[in-house]
Amino acid sequence: MSIAIRPFVKKDLTRFVSAISPLLSPSAVNFALITDTHDKAKFATTYYGPTGYWHVREQQWLSGQLPLALRVHLGDLVDGSEAPWLTRLRLRNIMADYQSGPVPFLVTKGNHDDNDKFAEKRAGHRGSFLPEVNQTLIFKPNAEQTGVAVSQEGLMVQDFPNLRIIVLNTADVPLIDGHKAFDVKKTLAVSFAQLRNFALALKGAGKRDVLLLSHAPALKENGQPALKFNGRAVHELLRAFNFHASGVLHTDEAPAFGGRLRFDFRQSSGRVVGYLAGHYHLEADYIVNGIHYSLQNTSALMGRHHGLTTKFNRRYDRRFGLPSEYAGYVVSVDTQQRLLSLYGYGAASRVRRFQYSSRMVRFF
């Protein structure tokens, strides 16, 4: 299938393909990754806009030029700042692109995908999506693929010979007594039900190494939780997996998020490769208790002079119609060499490599 993309993007991505093709081992799990497209219908040349959808289309073109196992989107598909019918339309368009391509995909939900940015300005929080909207538009298409297991809460698992990829839904805010009690845009969380399924997914990895993906990381660089609920619990389960330990975890006590969770990873022999996330609109790599957190830059355009643009993106002086308009990655996990590599295009670092072993993570 021929995909029409903008000429300057095709020229830039063709150079990118030529540069990284010799670096991708055929024995590695290689996939394309973008995050935070913040797509919306209102056009802008300085900040967000319909360019988000174009970046998704361009990722599909890229996936046809390389031997990739997956296309990945880490959430905030849309900005969630427009009328509900329009946000639904933009979500459908993005998911239709993933479904139309020949490459399998893993697409998760971000904290903007409930349209709460729009609803915050309306009396009674009108225009906010109930969980069933993203269940239908995002998680169902993932689950319809062969080889992808998806829980009710949006936890996804896909296996490769020596690697298990787990996608955690960090915008998992269930209804309380049948009502939406939290603004999802402001509430990053993992419910207790998903946390229980996460422990089972780690246990089921067996001898495989584990790569964790989600919209937001569980912890910040200073070791404090990045999630309002159960960020520390997610991190402690990853630590326990690395130590092949068993025990009981006491989690947040708030309704729908608290409980006692028993885990047992004594039969596992794999290692956490890393934890890839987006959300913060910058790149960063840091280690907390032996867990490597790796943050990826926003695909969405963030012009230098916009008030909400991060310092990281201001340095790139991102401009509409130039390669700095977008940002994306090809991720390579070589379990034989025990090497995680991230190759970036657009407003992204060109090469980041990290060696992981049974004892440590080493940054190049």
Side-chain angles (χ1 to χ4, degrees):
M1 180 180 64
S2 176
I3 300 173
I5 65 170
R6 295 171 290 173
F8 83 93
V9 179
K10 186 174 183 179
K11 182 178 179 180
D12 180 52
L13 293 186
T14 298
R15 285 196 299 260
F16 175 70
V17 168
S18 297
I20 71 165
S21 289
L23 306 177
L24 299 179
S25 168
S27 63
V29 177
N30 305 308
F31 59 90
L33 181 150
I34 56 175
T35 185
D36 294 84
T37 43
H38 284 271
D39 178 67
K40 60 180 184 178
K42 185 177 180 180
F43 187 80
T45 59
T46 58
Y47 198 77
Y48 297 174
T51 46
Y53 175 65
W54 302 348
H55 300 165
V56 171
R57 293 286 290 161
E58 290 152 2
Q59 186 199 44
Q60 183 178 160
W61 183 89
L62 175 66
S63 70
Q65 312 304 307
L66 291 165
L68 301 181
L70 289 169
R71 292 173 65 197
V72 171
H73 195 308
L74 294 183
D76 281 0
L77 285 71
V78 294
D79 191 46
S81 58
E82 298 180 305
W85 70 268
L86 193 51
T87 295
R88 284 191 183 94
L89 176 63
R90 307 303 293 187
L91 278 170
R92 286 193 186 98
N93 287 344
I94 289 175
M95 292 309 301
D97 184 79
Y98 280 101
Q99 291 174 283
S100 68
V103 179
F105 58 87
L106 294 172
V107 177
T108 192
K109 174 187 168 187
N111 60 305
H112 277 252
D113 294 323
D114 268 20
N115 214 46
D116 283 347
K117 186 175 180 179
F118 172 88
E120 286 167 356
K121 300 176 182 179
R122 270 84 190 162
H125 217 64
R126 287 181 291 108
S128 178
F129 294 161
L130 291 174
E132 62 202 38
V133 173
N134 282 303
Q135 284 284 352
T136 300
L137 296 182
I138 297 178
F139 295 124
K140 184 180 177 182
N142 282 276
E144 290 173 344
Q145 299 177 101
T146 302
V148 180
V150 184
S151 76
Q152 181 68 27
E153 305 78 34
L155 180 120
M156 291 180 271
V157 177
Q158 183 161 9
D159 284 337
F160 296 89
N162 298 309
L163 180 71
R164 169 166 282 198
I165 294 179
I166 300 176
V167 185
L168 201 65
N169 173 17
T170 54
D172 176 22
V173 183
L175 301 178
I176 307 297
D177 296 327
H179 300 285
K180 193 165 185 178
F182 296 92
D183 181 331
V184 177
K185 185 172 76 69
K186 299 177 180 178
T187 310
L188 294 162
V190 171
S191 68
F192 183 76
Q194 187 183 181
L195 195 69
R196 183 171 54 236
N197 285 324
F198 178 49
L200 292 173
L202 288 171
K203 181 178 181 179
K207 296 181 179 179
R208 295 179 178 89
D209 292 331
V210 169
L211 180 68
L212 184 61
L213 310 174
S214 71
H215 177 64
L219 296 187
K220 302 175 185 177
E221 189 169 2
N222 61 6
Q224 294 302 305
L227 310 183
K228 183 176 179 63
F229 298 108
N230 285 330
R232 176 67 62 183
V234 168
H235 178 79
E236 292 304 324
L237 285 175
L238 293 174
R239 290 185 68 197
F241 178 82
N242 272 350
F243 285 111
H244 309 136
S246 64
V248 177
L249 186 66
H250 297 267
T251 68
D252 288 294
E253 296 180 359
F257 299 100
R260 295 174 71 256
L261 177 64
R262 186 172 297 277
F263 61 87
D264 188 348
F265 307 135
R266 289 174 295 180
Q267 302 304 312
S268 303
S269 57
R271 166 86 186 181
V272 176
V273 174
Y275 188 148
L276 274 56
H279 181 64
Y280 285 108
H281 297 195
L282 50 78
E283 286 180 359
D285 288 280
Y286 52 92
I287 297 174
V288 182
N289 305 129
I291 305 300
H292 171 205
Y293 288 87
S294 182
L295 306 184
Q296 317 313 315
N297 195 23
T298 171
S299 163
L301 170 64
M302 300 189 82
R304 182 176 183 178
H305 301 294
H306 197 283
L308 296 178
T309 297
T310 60
K311 290 181 180 179
F312 181 87
N313 281 292
R314 203 166 278 125
R315 291 197 299 270
Y316 272 101
D317 192 13
R318 298 180 67 173
R319 301 192 183 198
F320 175 75
L322 296 175
S324 62
E325 174 196 299
Y326 46 77
Y329 304 85
V330 167
V331 180
S332 181
V333 183
D334 190 330
T335 56
Q336 295 181 7
Q337 299 295 321
R338 304 188 77 74
L339 184 66
L340 169 65
S341 303
L342 299 102
Y343 305 106
Y345 59 87
S349 298
R350 293 298 172 257
V351 181
R352 294 140 75 197
R353 289 196 180 99
F354 310 94
Q355 194 86 46
Y356 69 95
S357 69
S358 60
R359 296 184 179 180
M360 61 177 289
V361 178
R362 182 162 66 89
F363 290 11
F364 285 85

